[in-house]
Amino acid sequence: MNSSLKHRNHLLSTTTTTLLAASIVAYLFFALFYWGHLNYSEQMQMFMYNETYIKHLLQQPGGLISIVARWFTQWYINPWIGAIFPSTISVLFGFLISKKISNRNTYFISAFLLMVMMHFTLKDHMMAGAMAMLLTTCCLFADIKSPVWRIASSTAISVIAGPLAGLTYTLSSFHRIYELLPPLLVFTLFQTTVSSQYSFIVNFLGCEYYRDSLELRYEPYITGLFIIFIGQFRRVAAKGYVAYVLCALSVIAFSISAFTSRAEEVVLQYDKLARQQRWNDIIHLADKHPLSSKTAALYTNLSLAQTGRIGDKLFHYEQFGEECLIPRFMIDPFTAMAGAEVFYWLGLVNTAERFTFEAQEAIPNGDKSVRAIKKLAQCNIIKGDYKVAMRYLSMLKQTACYRRWATQAEEYIKNDRSDDVAEWSTIRKRMINDDNYFSERDFDKTLAQLVVTSSDFGISYNYLLSLSLLKKDLQMFKEYYRPQVFKDKTPLYYKEAYIYNMLNDGSLHLKELQKSDHTLANRIQSFIQMYQANPDDSRLSQFKDMFIWYVAYK
Amino acid sequence: MVRSLQIKSILLITLISLYSCQTDIRNKAVVTNEQPPIYSDIDSIVIPRNIAPLNIMPSIDILSDCEGVFVEILDPDNMRIIESEGEKSTKINLEEWRSLLKKANRLQITIYINKKQPTQKEPVWERYRPLTVFVSNVEIEPWVAYRKIAPGYEVYGKMGIYQRSLETGSEHIILENSKTHNGCLNCHCFSNHSGATFSLHLRGGSNPGTFIKRNGTDRFANVPKEELGGSFVYPSWHCDGRHIAYSVNKTQQMFHTKSHKRIEVVDHWSKIVVFDTETEKYTTNTILSSDSVFVTFPSFSPDGNWLYYCKAKAVDIASESQNVRYALCRTPFDAQSNTIGSEEEILFDAPSRGLSATFPRVSPDGDFVAFCLCRYGQFSIWHPESDIAILDLNKGTIRVDNNINSSDTESYHSWSHDGKWMIFSTRRANGLFTQPYIAHFDLTTGSFSKPFLMPIERIEDYNDEFYSYNVPEFVSDKITSQDICF
C-alpha cells in the first residue's frame, strides 16, 4: 500500500517537474527565440469584436476553435504575453498524452508531440490546428466508455474544431464502425449549408488550421495519426523502444525544421523591428547575422538610410542587387509589406498604399491584417484622405490592441493636428509633388523627382545614389552626384564611386588622390593591383566591404 | 394559474419598463433643429413600398462618441408609429416596418442620438429635426446581385458574388472565390433580370472561363481566345436570352504616384463581338472591330434592335492615355439573322466636349440611356469626377442630374424592369469604398429623386466590412450557390 502510494507520489513529482521544465523551455523558446513568428501571426490577422466578423468565422467548419485561436493570437503582439499560449498548449498536449499512456517513457513521446505542436504556431500555421488537436486529446484523455457519449463528443468536436479533429477523435476512440458517422454527417451538413462556398477538399482538410488552405501542411496529419496511434495502440506506444524511436524522430524532425525556420525567424524579426521603427536594432541584427535574403537587406538598407549611414555602410552588408533597395512587387504578403515600408518612408505614399493593400490581399485565407489596415490608415492620413482613414481607424477601433492608437489617430484628424505626429509630418514633407504613373523600370526618375520635392537631399537622395551603386550604373551616379551636398562629410561609398568613376574615364590619377584621401586611395590601389594580377586571389576578400569589389564580383 | 399570472406580470412589467425607457429618451432629449448626423442621408428620399427597413447609424465621425441611437418612424396620415433603439445602430422590426409601409405615403422619421459631450461626464440624448421619407407605390425588384471585393489594385483575396433581398435586407452567397481556389469572379450579367439566365467570368483559380447558365444548363462558353486575341470582358444579354454582346479588351492597369486617383485602367485595343450561345459562334463587323478605334461597353436595347456601345479613336496608350475619350454610339442588330448593322449613329459626341462616355444602359422603355461621364479614359470607376448622365433619346438632350451625383465617383448603374428605379455604385461615402444607392426615376420628366443607400440588415457592415459593392444588378428571383454547378 505504502509502496504504491510512494510510487504514485514519485510519478506525480516527476510529472510536475517535467511539466514545469517543459513549460519553461517552451515559453522561453517562443518569447526569446521565436518572437518574429509570433509577431508575424499577430500581424497577419485582425481579430475584430464585431458580429459580422464572428459570424463569418462561424460559417467555416471548425469556426469556433478558429475564433478562440485568433483571440489568443491577437496577444502575440507582446511576445512575453503571447508566448504563454503556444507554450501552454504544447505542454498540456504532451502531458495529456503521457498520462494517457501512463508510463514514464512516454515523456519522450510527449516531447515528440510538443515539438509538433510548436510547429503549429509557426509561420503559416494558425493556432486553431494546435487547439483542435488539444481538444481531441482532452476527449481521448477523458476515456469515455459509453458509445453514446463518444458519438456526442465526436459530433461536438466536429462542430467546434472541424471535421478533421472530429475524425481524429473518432478514429482514436471508436469501438464500432458506425461511430465514424458523426463527423462525416456534421461535415456533410456544413458542406451543403453554411460552408458551401468552400470547396470540399478545403473544408475537409482543415482550412482553418493554416493560412494557405491550398497548401497542405503535414503537422495536423502527423499529430492526428499520432493521436489515433495512442488511442488505439496504447500498450504498444507505452513500450520503451517505441517511445525512444518516436523521441529520436521528434528530435530529428524538429532539428531540421528549427534549423530551416530559424533563418525565416530572423527575417521575421527584421519585419517586426521595422514596423516598430527600431532602425538601430535592425542594424545590430544585421551585424549579428549575415544577411541571407533580399528582404533582410531591404530592411537593413532602409535602416541605414533612416539613420543617415547608407553612404558609409551599404557594402558592409551583403547586397543582392537593386531589389535590396527598391523592392519589386511580388504576390506575397510578407515581401509586399516590406516593400510598402520602403515606399512609405521614401514619401511615395500612393505606392506604399498599393503595396500594403496588395500585401493584405495576398494573405491566402482572405484574412485582413492589422498591420496593413494601420498602414493604410496612416497613408490616407498623410495624404489628407481623412474619410478613408476614418474608415480604417473605425475598423481598428474594433480590435483590442489597436483601439487606443486608432482613437488617438482619430483625435488628431478631428482636431486637424495630424502634423503634430512627427512620422506623418516627416513623410508629408517627403511626398512627391507631381503625379505620374509608377514605373519600376524608371524608378530612378521617380527618386530624382522626390529629391526635387524634398530639396533636403535626405533619404531619397541617398536612395538614388545607392541605387546607382547597386545597379553599378556609374553614368547614373555621375548624373545625380553633387559633392557639395555633403560638404566635407562625403559618405565613403559615394567618394569611392566618384574616384572609381574618374579613374575609369582617366580624369583622375591615383597620385592626386593620395593627397586628399590616403587610406581610400591605398585600398583602391591595392585592390586594382591584386585584381589585375589574379582575380581569383583569395586575399581580395579583404576588400569585400568596398564598392569596387561589388562591381568586380557581384 | 398563479404561474401564468406571474409570467404575464413579468411581461407587462418588462413592456412598461421598455416603454418608459423610450419615453424617458423623449423626455430627456435636448431638442435641436439640426439635420441628424447619420450615416447616409435619408431626408426627402423616395422609397418603394416593398423596401427593407432603413436602419439608422450615426455618422462615422461621431460614432465613437455615441452610446445609443433611437428612432421613431411616424406615418402622419394614419397616425401609426414604430420605434427602434440600439447601441450603435437601430434594428427596425421587419414586420412592424412592412405593416407601416403598407398604408403610408410618407414617413416622418425622428432620430435621437445619445452623444458624449465634451463638457459633461454623462452622454446626452439629442433629438434632431424630423426627416421626411416619401413612399412610392411602385415596387422594386426583390433582389440585387453584386460583387463584393476589396477596393484595390491587382491582387485580390476574398471576393464573391452575393445576392441581397431588397425586401428584408438579408444577404446570401451566390458564389465565393473560396470555391474556385481564389480565382477572380466578375461581370455577372442577367438576361431580363432573370436569375435563371445569366453569365459570369471566372479568371484564374480552379475553373477559369465564361460561365453561362441558360435553359437550365450550366456550362462554360467555348471562347476562341486566340482568334479573338483575348477573353470576353463586358457583357450584355440580348432580350432573346440567346445572344450576348461582349467586349474583348487588352487591358492594363497603371498606378498614380501622387493623386487622389489611385488607378488608371487603359485599353490598348478593344472590340465588340456578339456571341450566339446556341451555336457558340461570334459575329462582329468593322464598326465594332477595327484597328483604328477602341470599341467597348456593349449594351443591347431592351427591345434588342439596337446595340449601344462606346467608341474612341485608337491612340498610343503609353503616351496618350489621358487623351482617350469615348463617344456614345449605337448600331442596329437583328437577332433573327444574327446581323450587326452597317451604319453607326453617334448619340453623344462626348470627346468634342472634352469628355468621355462609358457604361451605357438603356431604360426598359427605350427612351433614355444612362451612362457615365468622366474627363478621359474608359474606366470611370476610378475617376472621382465620373457622374451618371441621362440621354433622352426622344429629345436628344443630356442631363447630369445633381440629385443622384456627388462630388465623388458614380459609376456602374442598372435599371429596374420597369425603369422606375435605378441602382448605381458610388464612392460618395469616403472616396474609396463603393456602395450601392437606389434612386427613383420619373419617366415623364427624366429626372431622379434623391437616392438612398441600399438597406442592409446590419448597417454597420458598410463601415466594418472591407469590401466595395461592384456591379449592382436588379434580379427578379433568388439564386443560390447550388444554382451554379461546374
Side-chain angles (χ1 to χ4, degrees), chain B residues 111-126:
Chain B
I111 294 162
Y112 299 73
I113 295 175
N114 194 19
K115 222 167 84 179
K116 281 183 204 157
Q117 304 293 325
T119 51
Q120 291 173 42
K121 215 174 178 185
E122 291 296 311
V124 174
W125 281 100
E126 289 181 352

Side-chain angles (χ1 to χ4, degrees), chain B residues 390-401:
Chain B
I390 294 286
L391 166 66
D392 185 330
L393 286 168
N394 298 320
K395 296 178 189 163
T397 54
I398 303 280
R399 186 187 161 107
V400 179
D401 198 331

Side-chain angles (χ1 to χ4, degrees), chain A residues 360-387:
Chain A
Q360 175 163 263
E361 287 303 295
I363 299 173
N365 63 356
D367 266 10
K368 299 303 164 206
S369 141
V370 274
R371 163 91 167 270
I373 298 285
K374 188 176 170 187
K375 185 65 82 192
L376 289 172
Q378 288 174 315
C379 287
N380 282 286
I381 291 171
I382 292 165
K383 289 198 302 179
D385 281 345
Y386 291 149
K387 281 187 174 177

Side-chain angles (χ1 to χ4, degrees), chain B residues 287-317:
Chain B
I287 289 178
L288 301 180
S289 173
S290 155
D291 290 342
S292 61
V293 287
F294 298 157
V295 194
T296 188
F297 300 127
S299 181
F300 277 117
S301 61
D303 61 9
N305 293 330
W306 294 96
L307 178 63
Y308 289 75
Y309 51 89
C310 298
K311 191 174 213 172
K313 207 176 102 189
V315 296
D316 175 27
I317 282 297

Side-chain angles (χ1 to χ4, degrees), chain A residues 5 55 59 70-71 82 89 146 148 150 170 217 263 284-285 311 335-336 359 369 375 403 417-418 426 440 468 520:
Chain A
L5 197 68
K55 207 167 123 187
Q59 283 171 352
R70 281 161 203 255
W71 187 86
I89 290 173
S146 152
V148 177
R150 268 204 308 276
T170 313
R217 307 277 159 173
H284 182 62
L285 193 63
T335 47
S369 141
K375 185 65 82 192
R403 187 178 296 144
R417 282 177 44 227
S418 57
T426 304
E440 282 179 348
S468 68
L520 183 63

